[in-house]
């Protein structure tokens, strides 16, 4: 059973019980319908209360069943709601904690609704590329009015129950600390004889001048929803609540819901929802693995990354000590942090009180003795193995037993770093992305000897810091940078063959990337890639690169920071202007290579940028560097501006079809720099078996 049935006096209590959030899956719906029918058949029962066990009234339809026949099997959600609404005895929804999506739709089908304060009330379907599909778009406007209901449905944002206490959504919002079940049963007893039973469907949607309001909403929502079709459909269905009879509106809503369920955009959002949650699960590190308490942090190096990392701790209320080698560097780092918080305060996003509290949590030092008691220390010094060695040997000396020793290295061998200490089980990689106080991604690098409790503690920390933690094994570049390397290589080869930076960037941006590779290079600094390539020329001479980027760097054109890169920039303006000088240099370089420049289609550009990453990702999966394809998607969605509506590179490849991806790779393997394309065995295998990465 996934709903329990009990009778308390003359009131039947049906408790939805489908952990973790009482999703309204088939078994739960069936049990709830049974419960209502049982109560109706029992002459001793005068009223019915529906509530939820554990941490929710209900989180809505069971998303885990969406891709299975169970989703549409009877009793459907609509049948459950109709059973509650059509019951001849009063049905009271007793709401607490979370009442969302189908859960709220069920509550709206009940005759009465009571709640505890603090319950999150939402129709968040739009965040999954959907709209409420069980009458929510027709009933919510009837209790909240057109404007408020539309805002909730289009944004999906939760509103606390106490804020809605005075609306027709609730009959009563109890005082905090009330025993919900006892109060709901008492309420049900009071209304047991009330007739006729109130039904939301019979209420009118009042809104003077609704047509003008709806037209304004259509225009605004259309402009803001980008490639996602759901928000505009939400407006249309809410409009139907005014224009159509209730049953016609519900039918129209259902058609729109079923249509959206089939869109790639919704599938991508649903994939991302689960991908984010599953990323924190490591098969051999059970969820009850003990974690180490992190109450005090230290950061070594107060540069670009160290400062941002320190801000993360502070924002989560964890005091942090920044350590530098020289007072000047320390002062500079602390001043930058202060300035960042001042800017946030100027934008009105931080009060003076919070600003003072945050600064009070940060201190600086030049002495290792002062950081010895920290529970975690994150090293963010220069990307140089010699410097890392000095730091880790010192940390091994001074840090208390049980402290977590983390490195922010982006390319170096974490196992080697761990072996500089006598406690490699305490060493883990925490690869933050720049700007570290903004970017959501945290690659958590698991070394060969990283302790399970250290991994579990770092995953828990990532949640506390509001990051998406994704576990990566040790390899050059980990998951994200190892893949982006292939993307950058292709971007370089495309220039040799006939493209100019703006064509490549435009094609990538049209595909949905936040920024194309060359505008991104100019923003991040082209010298970073140059530095890495110079190391590779020595360490891995077999890897081919276009030399165009080196020629650019030899001209000192590092990007926005030097006022010139792939593009020209004007002082005080971040806009990229195509550079005649750079474009001439690119054309000249092709001539020197003897490459006849040709017109390259946007489709080829996108395929080469994306499929080169996908092919590398297949190797990463096969080598066990990433645990699952969806983790790779999370890395790209949260750290690299990969378009959300495409669900990440692996999900996108699945959408295109792996045989098509493979065929394209085989074609490019015959072209310019074909040696860069060696189909990954896993990709070839899955394509041959008709399978996909995400199963
Ligand atoms: N169905 C199935 N499982 C769900 C779920 C749902 N609707 N909502 C959450 N879960 C699961 C998560 O997958 C996760 O599972 P896991 O522990 O196995 O990883 C677990 O519940 C906890 O989720 P969170 O980590 O997100 O926990 P929080 O406490 O932070 O948040 C929540 C809880 C507010 C309910 C949040 O999970 C959420 O926003 N869920 C989505 C709710 C939603 O979109 N509902 C609409 C569904 S569509 C619908 O109802 C269609 C209808 O209109 C016809
Ligand atoms: P940075 O050059 O801005 O800062 C490094 C800081 O470390 C400097 O302030 C320097 O004074 C200090 N430092 C050097 N040696 C030290 C020592 N022995 N003890 C204490 N402090 C010392 O470098 P950045 O960009 O912050 O990079 C730091 C680390 O983060 C590197 O490993 C880098 O690969 C990694 N990283 C960088 C990203 C970026 O976008 N900049 C992104 C992700 C990781």
């Amino acid at each position: 059973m996934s709903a329990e049935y009990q009778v308390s006096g003359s009131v039947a209590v049906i408790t939805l019980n489908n952990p973790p959030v009482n999703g309204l899956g088939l078994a739960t719906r069936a049990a709830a319908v049974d419960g209502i029918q049982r109560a109706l058949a029992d002459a001793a029962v005068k009223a019915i209360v529906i509530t939820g066990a554990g941490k929710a009234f209900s989180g809505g339809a069971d998303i885990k069943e969406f891709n299975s026949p169970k989703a549409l099997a009877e009793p459907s959600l609509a049948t459950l709601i109709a059973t509650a609404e059509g019951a001849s005895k009063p049905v009271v929804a007793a709401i607490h904690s979370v009442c969302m999506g189908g859960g709220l739709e069920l509550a709206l089908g009940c005759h009465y609704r009571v709640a505890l304060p603090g319950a999150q009330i939402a129709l968040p379907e739009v965040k999954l590329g959907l709209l409420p599909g069980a009458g929510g778009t027709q009933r919510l406007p009837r209790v909240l009015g057109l404007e408020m209901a539309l805002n909730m449905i289009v944004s999906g944002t939760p509103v606390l129950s106490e804020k809605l206490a005075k609306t027709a959504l609730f009959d009563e919002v109890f005082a905090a600390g009330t025993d919900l079940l006892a109060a709901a049963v008492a309420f049900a007893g009071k209304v047991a004889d009330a007739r006729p039973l109130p039904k939301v469907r019979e209420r009118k949607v009042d809104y003077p001048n609704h047509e003008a309001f709806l037209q304004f909403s259509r225009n605004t929502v259309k402009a803001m929803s980008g490639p996602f079709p759901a928000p505009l459909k939400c407006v249309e269905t809410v409009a139907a609540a005014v224009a159509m009879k209730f049953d016609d509106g519900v039918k129209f809503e259902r058609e729109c819901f079923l249509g959206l369920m089939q869109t790639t955009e919704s599938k991508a959002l649903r994939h991302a929802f689960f991908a984010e949650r599953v990323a924190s699960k490591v098969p051999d590190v059970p969820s009850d693995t003990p974690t180490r308490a992190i109450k005090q942090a230290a950061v070594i190096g107060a540069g670009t990354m160290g400062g941002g990392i320190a801000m993360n701790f502070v924002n989560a209320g964890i005091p942090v000590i920044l350590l530098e080698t020289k007072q000047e560097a320390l002062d500079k780092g602390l001043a930058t942090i202060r300035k960042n918080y001042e800017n946030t305060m100027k934008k009105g996003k931080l009060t003076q009180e919070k600003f003072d509290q945050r600064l009070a949590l940060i201190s600086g030092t030049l002495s290792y003795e002062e950081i010895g008691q920290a529970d975690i220390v994150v090293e963010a010094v220069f990307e140089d193995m010699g410097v890392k060695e000095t730091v880790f040997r010192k940390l091994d000396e001074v840090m208390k037993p049980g402290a977590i020793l983390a490195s922010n290295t982006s390319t170096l061998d974490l196992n080697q770093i761990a072996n500089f200490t006598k406690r490699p089980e305490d060493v883990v990689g925490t690869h933050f992305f720049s700007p570290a106080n903004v970017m959501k991604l945290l690659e958590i690098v698991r070394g060969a000897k990283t302790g399970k409790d250290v991994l579990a503690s770092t995953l828990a920390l990532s949640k506390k810091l509001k990051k998406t933690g994704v576990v990566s094994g040790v390899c050059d570049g980990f998951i994200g940078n190892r893949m982006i390397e292939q993307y950058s290589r292709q971007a370089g080869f495309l220039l040799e063959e006939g493209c100019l930076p703006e064509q490549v960037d435009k094609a990538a941006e049209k595909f949905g990337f936040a920024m194309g590779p060359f505008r991104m290079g100019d923003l991040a600094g082209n010298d970073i890639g140059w530095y890495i390539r110079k190391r590779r020329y020595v360490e891995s001479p077999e890897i081919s690169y276009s030399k165009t980027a080196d020629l650019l760097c030899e001209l000192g054109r590092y990007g926005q920071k030097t006022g010139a890169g792939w593009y020209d920039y004007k002082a005080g303006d971040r806009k990229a202007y195509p550079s005649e000088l750079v474009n001439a240099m690119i054309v000249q370089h092709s001539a020197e290579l003897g490459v006849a420049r040709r017109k390259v289609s946007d489709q080829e550009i996108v395929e080469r940028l994306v499929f080169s990453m996908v092919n590398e990702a297949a190797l990463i999966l096969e080598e066990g560097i990433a645990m699952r394809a969806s983790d790779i998607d999370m890395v790209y969605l949260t750290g690299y501006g990969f378009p959300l509506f495409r669900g990440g590179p692996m999900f996108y490849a699945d959408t295109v079809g792996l045989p098509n991806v493979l065929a394209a790779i085989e074609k490019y393997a015959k072209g310019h720099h074909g040696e860069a394309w060696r189909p990954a065995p896993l990709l070839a295998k899955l394509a041959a078996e008709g399978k996909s990465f995400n199963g």
Side-chain angles (χ1 to χ4, degrees):
M1 286 295 278
S2 48
E4 283 140 20
Y5 182 87
Q6 283 167 323
V7 178
S8 169
S10 61
V11 177
V13 177
I14 299 168
T15 308
L16 308 171
N17 193 355
N18 181 19
V21 295
N22 302 323
L24 295 165
L26 179 58
T28 311
R29 299 193 303 263
V33 168
D34 274 0
I36 297 172
Q37 284 167 348
R38 198 167 149 190
L40 294 179
D42 183 346
V45 169
K46 302 288 180 216
I48 304 163
V49 166
I50 302 182
T51 191
K55 64 177 201 175
F57 171 77
S58 170
D62 193 332
I63 320 172
K64 288 175 183 149
E65 285 185 5
F66 266 11
N67 297 330
S68 91
K70 285 184 182 174
L72 301 176
E74 285 294 343
S76 65
L77 189 50
T79 303
L80 167 59
I81 293 168
T83 310
E85 193 172 53
S88 54
K89 299 174 185 177
V91 183
V92 180
I95 294 165
H96 65 93
S97 314
V98 168
C99 178
M100 292 189 177
L104 179 54
E105 291 176 298
L106 170 59
L108 285 165
C110 294
H111 305 117
Y112 301 96
R113 287 157 297 279
V114 297
L116 284 182
Q120 297 184 63
I121 310 297
L123 287 176
E125 288 85 345
V126 72
K127 294 185 182 170
L128 301 172
L130 298 169
L131 51 76
T137 61
Q138 305 305 296
R139 286 192 179 89
L140 199 65
R142 285 176 157 82
V143 291
L144 292 186
L146 194 60
E147 189 170 346
M148 188 168 197
L150 186 73
N151 283 342
M152 281 180 71
I153 293 168
V154 168
S155 70
T157 308
V159 180
L160 292 174
S161 47
E162 59 268 34
K163 295 231 162 101
L164 300 169
K166 295 214 161 62
T167 70
L169 176 56
F170 289 116
D171 295 284
E172 201 161 342
V173 174
F174 302 121
T178 303
D179 175 340
L180 176 64
L181 196 53
V185 167
F187 180 93
K190 272 195 261 163
V191 296
D193 295 324
R195 297 292 183 278
L197 291 167
K199 292 178 186 167
V200 171
R201 58 183 287 144
E202 289 167 359
R203 297 174 61 92
K204 284 222 151 25
V205 187
D206 286 328
Y207 197 86
N209 206 6
H210 64 266
E211 271 171 15
F213 170 71
L214 286 168
Q215 193 48 44
F216 168 77
S217 305
R218 273 185 201 101
N219 296 344
T220 320
V221 170
K222 193 170 178 200
M224 289 173 67
S225 50
F228 293 100
L232 204 52
K233 285 277 180 204
C234 288
V235 182
E236 293 311 338
T237 47
V238 171
V242 188
M244 292 184 189
K245 289 198 185 110
F246 181 83
D247 287 328
D248 293 339
V250 167
K251 197 162 159 257
F252 176 61
E253 175 202 79
R254 191 73 193 151
E255 282 161 14
C256 294
F257 175 82
L258 291 175
L260 287 172
M261 275 272 259
Q262 298 311 319
T263 59
T264 312
E265 292 81 4
S266 171
K267 288 179 186 164
L269 288 172
R270 275 140 53 194
H271 168 68
F273 178 86
F274 286 116
E276 183 172 3
R277 280 152 187 84
V278 83
S280 62
K281 298 183 170 77
V282 183
D284 66 327
V285 181
S287 56
D288 58 357
T289 304
T291 53
R292 301 186 187 179
I294 297 180
K295 297 205 173 112
Q296 169 72 57
V299 174
I300 316 289
T304 310
M305 296 305 291
I309 294 168
M311 287 175 76
N312 276 299
F313 284 111
V314 166
N315 295 346
I318 302 171
V320 62
I321 309 171
L322 265 173
L323 184 144
E324 265 286 350
T325 43
K326 295 207 176 80
Q327 190 64 43
E328 200 189 340
L330 183 59
D331 291 345
K332 195 173 159 215
L334 290 170
T336 306
I337 293 173
R338 188 186 177 90
K339 191 147 192 20
N340 279 338
Y341 280 131
E342 276 169 359
N343 287 341
T344 317
M345 198 161 60
K346 269 187 211 147
K347 286 182 199 151
K349 293 184 186 164
L350 197 67
T351 59
Q352 179 73 45
E353 192 190 353
K354 287 247 164 71
F355 172 83
D356 294 340
Q357 281 168 0
R358 294 208 174 158
L359 285 194
L361 289 174
I362 303 188
S363 56
T365 184
L366 301 178
S367 157
Y368 275 87
E369 308 312 320
E370 284 188 34
I371 65 164
Q373 290 307 307
D375 303 302
I376 186 168
V377 52
V378 182
E379 164 278 309
V381 302
F382 300 136
E383 187 73 342
D384 177 285
M385 195 53 106
V387 184
K388 305 272 188 209
E389 176 170 2
T390 315
V391 170
F392 272 82
R393 287 199 190 284
K394 190 72 193 168
L395 291 177
D396 196 21
E397 265 172 43
V398 300
M399 298 308 296
K400 69 176 181 186
I404 296 174
L405 314 183
S407 172
N408 191 50
T409 180
S410 41
T411 52
L412 299 175
D413 182 349
L414 186 82
N415 292 329
Q416 199 181 338
I417 293 176
N419 284 335
F420 295 139
T421 74
K422 289 186 281 305
R423 38 175 143 170
E425 66 283 0
D426 291 341
V427 178
V428 67
T430 47
H431 185 209
F432 287 84
F433 283 68
S434 181
N437 51 319
V438 176
M439 297 297 291
K440 265 207 95 177
L441 177 62
L442 177 66
E443 270 185 325
I444 299 175
V445 185
R446 182 181 192 175
K449 296 180 188 159
T450 303
K452 288 186 184 182
D453 62 330
V454 170
L455 192 61
S457 307
T458 314
L459 278 160
L461 175 69
S462 78
K463 271 205 181 131
K464 192 150 191 210
L465 302 186
K466 297 203 167 72
K467 301 279 171 195
T468 303
V470 179
V471 177
S472 169
V474 177
C475 69
D476 193 346
F478 313 122
I479 299 172
N481 283 346
R482 179 167 156 188
M483 284 165 67
I484 208 78
E485 155 104 351
Q486 301 307 326
Y487 169 95
S488 306
R489 280 176 82 203
Q490 286 303 320
F493 297 146
L494 283 163
L495 295 185
E496 290 181 359
E497 282 187 77
C499 294
L500 293 175
E502 60 268 39
Q503 187 198 353
V504 178
D505 282 348
K506 275 196 184 135
E509 286 157 20
K510 206 165 130 209
F511 174 77
F513 275 107
M515 230 183 260
F518 297 108
R519 285 214 298 134
M520 179 51 102
D522 277 359
L523 181 70
N526 297 308
D527 51 323
I528 297 177
W530 194 29
Y531 175 81
I532 295 171
R533 280 193 306 281
K534 281 195 269 193
R535 198 181 84 207
R536 296 252 161 75
Y537 293 150
V538 178
E539 289 174 2
S540 317
E542 71 286 357
I543 304 177
S544 53
Y545 291 95
S546 164
K547 292 278 188 289
T548 325
D550 299 352
L551 296 173
L552 184 84
C553 288
E554 280 163 20
L555 294 174
R557 299 183 67 112
Y558 293 170
Q560 288 189 23
K561 62 183 170 187
T562 56
W566 292 105
Y567 296 94
D568 290 336
Y569 295 90
K570 294 179 185 165
D573 176 5
R574 284 174 175 267
K575 191 167 181 277
Y577 296 90
S579 161
E580 276 180 31
L581 183 142
V582 171
N583 291 352
M585 179 195 84
I586 291 167
V587 172
Q588 161 88 18
H589 186 56
S590 299
E592 282 161 10
L593 293 173
V595 177
R597 290 178 69 80
R598 67 180 172 93
K599 188 167 169 12
V600 182
S601 70
D602 284 1
Q603 183 188 344
E604 177 174 344
I605 294 172
V606 168
E607 284 186 356
R608 285 174 57 175
L609 294 178
V610 178
F611 294 169
S612 60
M613 290 200 291
V614 168
N615 196 43
E616 191 67 28
L619 293 173
I620 286 173
L621 256 186
E622 209 167 2
E623 292 166 18
I625 297 293
M627 290 185 289
R628 34 181 109 78
S630 64
D631 286 0
I632 297 174
D633 285 335
M634 272 339 279
V635 166
Y636 267 75
L637 291 175
T638 57
Y640 291 82
F642 197 94
L644 179 58
F645 70 98
R646 299 201 188 271
M650 309 307 264
F651 184 86
Y652 175 68
D654 287 345
T655 322
V656 173
L658 298 191
N660 297 327
V661 175
L662 182 65
I665 289 177
E666 283 165 346
K667 181 178 82 187
Y668 297 129
K670 294 189 189 111
H672 183 65
H673 278 292
E675 78 288 345
W677 295 98
R678 268 186 236 118
L682 178 66
L683 172 62
K685 180 170 170 282
L686 292 175
E689 290 170 355
K691 291 188 178 154
S692 58
F693 284 125
N694 281 295

